[in-house]
Amino acid sequence: MSKSASISIESVLQEDRKFPPSPAFATNAHISSEEQYQQLWNRAKDDPAGFWGELAQSELEWSQPFTSAMQGKMPDTKWFVGGKLNLSVNCLDRHLKTWRKNKAAIIWEGEPGDTRTLTYQQLYREVCKFANVLKGLGVATGDRVTLYMPMIPELAIAMLACARIGATHSIIFGGFSADAIADRNNDAQSKVVVTADAGWRRGKEIALKANVDDSLARSPSVQKVVVVRRTGLDVTMQPDRDYWWHDLMERADSECPAVAVDSEHPLYILYTSGSTGKPKGVLHTTAGYLLGVTMTSRWVFDLKDEDTYWCTADIGWVTGHSYVVYGPLANGATTVMYEGAPNWPDYGRFWEMIEKYKVSIFYTAPTAIRAFIKWGDEWPNKHDLSSLRLLGSVGEPINPEAWMWYHRVIGKEKCPIVDTWWQTETGGIMISPLPGITATKPGSCTRPLPGVVPDIVTEKGESLGPNQGGLLVMKQSWPSMLRTLYGDHQRYLDVYFSKIDGCYFAGDGARRDQDGYYWVMGRVDDVLNVSGHRLSTMEVESALVSNPLVAEAAVVGFPHEIKGEGICCFVIPKAEGGSDADKETLINHVRKHIGALATPDQIRFTTALPKTRSGKIMRRLLRDIAAGKESSQDTTTLEDYSILAKLRDDEE
Ligand code: WTA
């Protein structure tokens, strides 16, 4: 950071391709003209209370109208004060009064190939029954319920059942260990855990109940456990504590009045890993969150009643909460849910499912896209993907090469791609193309949605001009933003609001180009500082991935006597590559694409990269390896521990 404070991060990515939407897509889209977008965006900026207040009235069903749409400034804005509503009513009951009553709400496929479809009426019935089950177990409005489950319909049912009685759910991704469950149960003081015997993953049973058993010795707040029988794996059931889902459901009443809760009533806690220390319990409340996911689902995915919409995220992550369950159901859409791995029984599983269900909107992550590229075009090419009309990406910056592949091989050059930037904390999509109007550029999440007022600033909070990299902040509150970190409001203020005065900052670096498009460069913690140049790791990675030898790359800095930081590149080669000559090729390739300042000091070939379960590369672990240190970092979110050992073995 020896450079002046006016430029924080230098941007070196050059990308000039542009893809406007087809006139046909534009004509039918929910937001269909630039003027409409400008008008919505300006109105939301100048009069957020009026803008969101009108939408909340017209788009949500209320038990009691709110008296004030917006109160107070960030970081403690309250939305729709005085109003009461129920989220499950908004996702279910209101559709039952329409023709959607018998429309498919959830089309589910298990990894072994078993399927279930729940219409809105059927889903409503299951939700009411399970809400009664929870009440029977002593869960009251305001209590916390932990859900540690595979991707099966019962997970969505349990979420909506919690919402129906005003209980706050805390979903823990099924890959977390017993310790992680215990920590989260304790932090939330959960009363009940809902789990399954096991789930399927690449043909193997992933035991869940056993982990819950193990965690309960250390989480004394939990009184009852409900277990779905999914795979038939043997489990121990402790009398008076553990109950089978099917036993309880058999006896449950199928009507359950919905509890009308305050707009700001806690809907869920979702733990997200902090860079240090214990996970952060991001808290979302009811009305603002619901309005945010309802509108963004419609604007960004252009959701229509005829669509078959598939978001491949696990519900254990925020993307699954907002865009597998709540957003689509609030819109009365049909949402596809899949239990297992994309490469089971073969690499064609996703494409087979798209063909089978005639999926029209497909939303996945760059990490998956890079895996598809590696597995080869022959897999998608075997299937009829002509039902697709829109593609989405989330979770990381998408490298332009991966974007072009997605556009060409999956979208057949006719589907708009929405590269959606958002975070667990933002609740819903913030910066994204609007598929009917935005000319997309590969690698850019383009422009802010209505109600989102971002800026790019220096460490001192000064706005930066076009193409200057800096910190991405939000200058105005929005309804679906997190309200606090559960049980630690001070940490909430420190983490998000102490860095830049009056702004929300959650850690990403970005630049805005001459057209006002945003290019997210990754977490600022990941920025390299090479001889005083602050470079985005993502841009060096994109340069590497644009070489045909490379399937995937992760770049980190390591202490360097002369340059301050050197550049270490972990590279997964495409074929059986990985020779010394290949290293030279790649070093030259990066020099040519970015310049001598970005010349890699080390190229390390590897067969895998450490990733979180949601697919993000854990650069802090790689940094330790590059620096030759034993890692003392929190690894509870690491997908596959063995990868760490493997990377060390790969060291020269
Ligand atoms: C990154 C996932 C670039 C970013 C919804 C953010 C992205 C973090 C994008 C949040 C994108 C997510 N382009 N970067 N389209 N989407 N990110 O909380 O660094 O799991 O801060 O939420 O992912 O990750 P989270």
Side-chain angles (χ1 to χ4, degrees):
M1 250 173 282
S2 58
K3 303 266 300 185
S4 79
S6 65
I7 299 182
S8 299
I9 309 168
E10 286 177 44
S11 177
V12 288
L13 185 79
Q14 265 293 336
E15 180 55 66
D16 302 318
R17 290 169 285 198
K18 224 172 166 173
F19 299 86
S22 70
F25 198 105
T27 312
N28 297 312
H30 286 298
I31 296 185
S32 58
S33 73
E34 180 63 24
E35 297 70 48
Q36 189 189 357
Y37 164 73
Q38 290 296 345
Q39 194 245 329
L40 290 171
W41 196 85
N42 288 329
R43 167 90 204 283
K45 176 171 175 287
D46 298 338
D47 176 20
F51 176 81
W52 289 113
E54 280 165 29
L55 283 176
Q57 253 164 15
S58 64
E59 303 302 328
L60 304 184
E61 190 164 305
W62 295 88
S63 310
Q64 178 180 303
F66 52 89
T67 48
S68 159
M70 184 187 182
Q71 265 180 18
K73 281 210 157 52
M74 233 169 23
D76 291 309
T77 315
K78 289 192 170 56
W79 289 90
F80 315 118
V81 179
K84 285 186 190 290
L85 78 173
N86 183 281
L87 189 137
S88 81
V89 167
N90 277 275
C91 288
L92 301 169
D93 307 43
R94 66 167 159 166
H95 304 312
L96 304 186
K97 294 179 255 168
T98 72
W99 65 270
R100 294 192 188 96
K101 175 171 167 247
N102 294 321
K103 176 180 175 176
I106 297 177
I107 296 178
W108 172 82
E109 186 164 303
E111 193 184 74
D114 45 341
T115 62
R116 268 167 81 188
T117 298
L118 288 158
T119 64
Y120 274 92
Q121 171 64 38
Q122 289 167 330
L123 181 60
Y124 165 82
R125 191 180 151 86
E126 296 297 302
V127 168
C128 284
K129 284 170 75 175
F130 196 65
N132 284 323
V133 165
L134 289 173
K135 285 204 271 188
L137 294 175
V139 177
T141 304
D143 285 345
R144 271 81 53 217
V145 175
T146 293
L147 310 179
Y148 179 67
M149 299 170 78
M151 282 285 285
I152 54 178
E154 286 81 357
L155 174 50
I157 292 166
M159 294 164 79
L160 290 158
C162 286
R164 194 157 192 91
I165 60 172
T168 302
H169 60 70
S170 160
I171 304 185
I172 304 178
F173 175 68
F176 280 115
S177 64
D179 282 344
I181 306 170
D183 286 350
R184 288 157 175 75
N185 280 342
N186 288 333
D187 192 75
Q189 288 293 294
S190 291
K191 208 166 180 181
V192 167
V193 175
V194 186
T195 187
D197 48 4
W200 291 110
R201 189 89 190 164
R202 289 191 193 92
K204 287 209 191 75
E205 288 168 281
I206 306 294
L208 297 174
K209 173 63 164 63
N211 286 345
V212 171
D213 290 343
D214 188 2
S215 74
L216 289 192
R218 279 158 286 147
S219 25
S221 64
V222 176
Q223 295 160 13
K224 304 284 180 193
V225 178
V226 183
V227 187
V228 179
R229 183 176 281 149
R230 166 63 188 133
T231 69
L233 185 73
D234 245 356
V235 295
T236 325
M237 298 291 280
Q238 183 175 307
D240 299 326
R241 188 194 73 186
D242 302 349
Y243 304 87
W244 286 109
W245 172 289
H246 55 264
D247 286 342
L248 297 174
M249 288 292 267
E250 206 179 276
R251 298 192 290 272
D253 195 339
S254 59
E255 286 296 334
C256 177
V259 176
V261 297
D262 285 337
S263 294
E264 288 290 346
H265 184 75
L267 173 66
Y268 67 80
I269 302 167
L270 180 57
Y271 289 89
T272 176
S273 59
S275 48
T276 52
K278 76 176 180 86
K280 302 178 287 198
V282 168
L283 182 89
H284 283 292
T285 57
T286 305
Y289 173 79
L290 177 62
L291 184 63
V293 298
T294 304
M295 297 320 300
T296 50
S297 297
R298 200 177 309 161
W299 289 333
V300 174
F301 300 118
D302 193 42
L303 260 189
K304 306 265 171 54
D305 264 317
E306 311 79 50
D307 278 311
T308 304
Y309 162 90
W310 183 19
C311 165
T312 68
D314 194 287
I315 291 175
W317 308 114
V318 73
T319 306
H321 285 61
S322 298
Y323 298 110
V324 176
V325 181
Y326 291 130
L329 295 182
N331 280 287
T334 297
T335 180
V336 174
M337 210 175 142
Y338 169 58
E339 178 187 26
N343 53 351
W344 188 266
D346 62 35
Y347 296 129
R349 184 61 179 269
F350 277 12
W351 322 122
E352 184 191 317
M353 282 183 59
I354 288 175
E355 179 173 2
K356 178 172 170 189
Y357 298 109
K358 300 284 176 253
V359 170
S360 55
I361 302 174
F362 180 67
Y363 189 32
T364 195
T367 179
I369 296 169
R370 290 189 300 262
F372 302 146
I373 297 173
K374 190 167 179 220
W375 296 337
D377 295 7
E378 63 269 30
W379 296 99
N381 287 346
K382 266 189 225 169
H383 296 276
D384 175 10
L385 305 181
S386 61
S387 57
L388 290 172
R389 69 179 193 94
L390 177 70
L391 302 174
S393 167
V394 62
E396 281 175 278
I398 177 166
N399 320 100
E401 280 314 303
W403 195 102
M404 288 306 298
W405 182 90
Y406 202 27
H407 170 71
R408 200 166 35 80
V409 180
I410 307 304
K412 312 292 179 205
E413 301 183 4
K414 74 174 175 54
C415 300
I417 295 180
V418 289
D419 173 2
T420 63
W421 179 87
W422 59 294
Q423 308 175 303
T424 304
E425 292 87 345
T426 68
I429 298 168
M430 302 289 278
I431 308 183
S432 167
L434 290 165
I437 62 166
T438 312
T440 50
K441 302 183 190 180
S444 169
C445 54
T446 76
R447 295 183 299 176
L449 297 184
V452 175
V453 186
D455 199 4
I456 310 280
V457 300
T458 64
E459 302 263 343
K460 290 186 180 148
E462 301 146 343
S463 276
L464 285 165
N467 293 315
Q468 295 189 309
L471 312 177
L472 176 60
V473 296
M474 298 297 145
K475 301 207 303 198
Q476 189 169 296
S477 41
W478 63 100
S480 68
M481 74 183 288
L482 80 165
R483 297 299 193 266
T484 192
L485 291 175
Y486 191 73
D488 198 347
H489 200 64
Q490 191 55 48
R491 188 173 180 203
Y492 163 78
L493 300 174
D494 293 346
V495 171
Y496 305 109
F497 299 96
S498 66
K499 185 147 178 120
I500 305 294
D501 213 25
C503 290
Y504 164 87
F505 173 63
D508 283 352
R511 75 181 157 100
R512 191 170 35 201
D513 71 14
Q514 60 288 354
D515 299 329
Y517 280 35
Y518 285 77
W519 297 77
V520 173
M521 300 152 101
R523 312 290 301 167
V524 285
D525 304 345
D526 294 336
V527 166
L528 303 164
N529 191 340
V530 184
S531 310
H533 301 282
R534 301 196 74 207
L535 297 173
S536 144
T537 52
M538 183 262 161
E539 296 191 340
V540 182
E541 285 158 11
S542 283
L544 285 163
V545 174
S546 72
N547 186 287
L549 288 171
V550 177
E552 183 148 23
V555 170
V556 295
F558 65 94
H560 190 287
E561 255 178 42
I562 299 158
K563 300 199 263 185
E565 254 183 338
I567 300 179
C568 176
C569 312
F570 293 87
V571 173
I572 305 181
K574 250 188 205 151
E576 283 306 298
S579 65
D580 283 347
D582 291 345
K583 286 188 184 175
E584 274 314 301
T585 308
L586 293 180
I587 289 171
N588 289 328
H589 180 82
V590 174
R591 284 177 71 103
K592 182 159 156 276
H593 274 251
I594 302 183
L597 81 162
T599 307
D601 295 280
Q602 296 178 21
I603 302 270
R604 298 191 188 194
F605 289 112
T606 174
T607 49
L609 292 168
K611 289 188 186 166
T612 64
R613 299 271 180 169
S614 62
K616 294 192 211 310
I617 294 166
M618 298 183 84
R619 289 193 184 72
R620 56 200 159 88
L621 295 177
L622 292 174
R623 270 200 295 272
D624 284 352
I625 294 171
K629 277 195 285 195
E630 274 303 311
S631 182
S632 56
Q633 304 269 8
D634 170 26
T635 55
T636 54
T637 52
L638 186 58
E639 187 186 22
D640 180 357
Y641 289 95
S642 65
I643 286 173
L644 263 195
K646 176 92 187 85
L647 283 169
R648 287 188 204 288
D649 293 347
D650 288 341
E651 283 176 51
E652 291 139 317

